[in-house]
Amino acid sequence: MNDIAPRGIRFGRIAAMLPVKDIRRAHDFYVGVLGFAKTFENGNPVGFMILKRDDAELHLTLQPGHKAPPFNVAHLMVDDADALHALCEADGRRIVKRLQDKDYGLRAFVFEDPDGNRIDVGQRL
């Protein structure tokens, strides 16, 4: 099968959907530590939440049985990887891959959020 979308289709924003066991704990990390703002929530109790900061958008979905996979689930581009790395370390986040300059032009590291979701962070060199 060789179905290719017509060239006239323009793709827009895509947001990472992060499954979390405890949506309040995830909210407190992304809002309180990383500075995102909650722009939407749904359910009673809350089972879905949208967080934004600058051009980044995250969708949190409550999944009580969530088990984080052993791979990165989102890639986040930032202007200052060193500062974000310091915030993650200060909050006790597990650093999966250390901060380093990569041969493909990024200063990068990987951390785990409170639910074990691995976030790959990059800054253009």
Side-chain angles (χ1 to χ4, degrees):
M1 182 180 265
N2 190 8
D3 294 326
I4 298 175
R7 297 282 183 229
I9 295 174
R10 183 184 172 282
F11 289 82
R13 174 193 57 77
I14 187 169
M17 176 74 72
L18 298 180
V20 298
K21 289 182 189 178
D22 181 332
I23 205 159
R24 285 290 147 214
R25 180 180 66 188
H27 167 274
D28 291 349
F29 170 69
Y30 285 104
V31 172
V33 176
L34 299 189
F36 280 77
K38 178 176 61 174
T39 61
F40 178 80
E41 69 179 25
N42 189 27
N44 186 13
V46 175
F48 177 77
M49 189 178 291
I50 297 176
L51 306 176
K52 292 184 181 182
R53 178 171 176 179
D54 305 317
D55 292 333
E57 183 172 320
L58 293 173
H59 294 191
L60 305 179
T61 180
L62 182 61
Q63 300 295 315
H66 170 63
K67 292 184 183 183
F71 52 82
N72 302 340
V73 298
H75 186 254
L76 175 62
M77 293 298 293
V78 298
D79 290 337
D80 191 341
D82 291 88
L84 182 54
H85 185 269
L87 282 173
C88 290
E89 281 191 321
D91 192 58
R93 297 293 103 225
R94 178 173 175 248
I95 304 299
V96 177
K97 291 187 180 177
R98 67 181 176 86
L99 181 64
Q100 57 185 310
D101 293 344
K102 301 292 191 172
D103 59 1
Y104 46 82
L106 293 181
R107 182 152 178 79
F109 73 99
V110 176
F111 73 90
E112 286 184 352
D113 76 1
D115 288 280
N117 295 306
R118 293 182 179 186
I119 311 298
D120 182 14
V121 176
Q123 171 191 345
R124 292 191 201 291
L125 293 173

